[in-house]
Amino acid sequence: MGFLDGLWRGRAAEFDSGSASSNSIELTKRHDRVSLTKQGAATGHLRINLTWRMRTSDIGGSQRESLLRHPFKALRPPEVLGHSQSMVNVDLDLGALYELTDGTKGVVQPLGGFLGDVNSPPYVKLSGDDRFGSASGETIYVNLDHRENIKRLLVFVYIYDQTPAFDRTHAIVTLYPSNGPRIEIGLDERHPQARSCAVVMIENVKDEIWVRREVKFVYGFQAELDRLFGWGLQWGRGYKTKAEK
């Protein structure tokens, strides 16, 4: 954000333009929502992608502390660190609670194989289950050509059957609308014992599609997210199949 952007307090300040060079909007606590309708992106497929990588500060101590002790390290090229299961034993999964305008409610997630459908209800589909934070990550597609049938979607991330490690990973959920800049939500808050995080709410409010940052960490799983946002589903213990693991 430029200097003049920081001074502007008009209507446009509600939407953080993010980085012009990267063509992205970053949703923050201060600028926490954007209208897809206003930017002409309330049609077509909305792609929602989860990627993550290990925090470099987990290896060799705190990077900031290291730079304070050895300031000339800042002049060196950054070390490329690939992570493996031995470094961080974490399996982040992407999911979404949905509520349609006819009252139908449910979930799309890898756990239990609830993958959804993009061309028929719930008009939400999960593609892929990435266990290692690869470049492609996990993706949910939302068919906004059927936006009149969608009341709200809560996109969430959870850790499946592993040690809680949100504080050891740098996770980003990115929304790619059919038009305009991508929308990024970083999960950078430190909640070492959290197992789930409600990331972003997508709502149809008076025929306008809004994207609102949530980033609420909880210490339980989907049932706790359900209670927090009043979804009203019944939950039981679920497992991944061998193909899903």
Side-chain angles (χ1 to χ4, degrees):
M1 179 179 292
F3 175 71
L4 293 178
D5 295 328
L7 295 178
W8 179 245
R9 292 293 182 269
R11 180 179 176 84
E14 184 178 1
F15 311 110
D16 190 346
S17 60
S19 169
S21 61
S22 63
N23 191 33
S24 65
I25 295 172
E26 181 183 2
L27 294 187
T28 64
K29 289 182 178 179
R30 182 179 177 186
H31 299 163
D32 65 349
R33 67 192 64 198
V34 64
S35 168
L36 295 185
T37 304
K38 282 186 172 63
Q39 68 180 42
T43 59
H45 286 182
L46 170 65
R47 180 163 59 96
I48 305 169
N49 185 246
L50 164 68
T51 55
W52 76 92
R53 58 179 171 80
M54 184 179 177
R55 292 182 184 274
T56 55
S57 59
D58 280 354
I59 302 175
S62 168
Q63 186 179 24
R64 180 179 297 179
E65 181 182 352
S66 176
L67 289 177
L68 288 175
R69 291 183 178 182
H70 308 283
F72 289 104
K73 281 188 176 182
L75 302 178
R76 299 178 186 174
E79 182 181 1
V80 177
L81 297 172
H83 70 270
S84 66
Q85 286 295 88
S86 62
M87 290 183 181
V88 54
N89 192 23
V90 60
D91 179 11
L92 296 185
D93 281 337
L94 182 68
L97 289 168
Y98 62 82
E99 181 178 0
L100 304 183
T101 53
D102 67 0
T104 302
K105 298 178 182 180
V107 65
V108 171
Q109 62 180 22
L111 189 61
F114 296 104
L115 302 182
D117 194 302
V118 76
N119 293 314
S120 60
Y123 307 108
V124 182
K125 183 174 178 59
L126 175 68
S127 175
D129 177 15
D130 173 28
R131 297 192 63 201
F132 303 104
S134 68
S136 59
E138 296 184 12
T139 301
I140 286 176
Y141 295 91
V142 182
N143 189 346
L144 292 180
D145 288 336
H146 293 272
R147 61 192 177 280
E148 70 278 2
N149 300 115
I150 300 171
K151 182 177 180 180
R152 59 175 180 159
L153 302 171
L154 177 66
V155 178
F156 62 89
V157 175
Y158 65 98
I159 297 174
Y160 172 75
D161 201 25
Q162 301 286 354
T163 302
F166 272 114
D167 64 325
R168 297 176 60 196
T169 59
H170 177 69
I172 298 177
V173 173
T174 306
L175 283 67
Y176 296 88
S178 60
N179 184 55
R182 67 180 184 269
I183 302 165
E184 297 180 346
I185 305 100
L187 309 185
D188 290 329
E189 298 176 17
R190 293 301 182 102
H191 292 269
Q193 298 303 314
R195 288 189 173 274
S196 306
C197 179
V199 180
V200 63
M201 182 77 78
I202 301 168
E203 285 187 292
N204 188 338
V205 181
K206 297 180 180 179
D207 297 324
E208 186 168 0
I209 303 299
W210 285 91
V211 173
R212 184 178 73 244
R213 178 188 185 272
E214 297 290 348
V215 188
K216 291 182 172 63
F217 289 87
V218 300
Y219 298 98
F221 292 97
Q222 291 87 328
E224 191 168 344
L225 292 174
D226 184 312
R227 287 192 294 270
L228 185 62
F229 290 90
W231 232 266
L233 298 177
Q234 297 296 320
W235 297 91
R237 176 62 174 168
Y239 299 91
K240 289 186 182 181
T241 65
K242 290 184 179 180
E244 293 169 328
K245 286 184 177 180

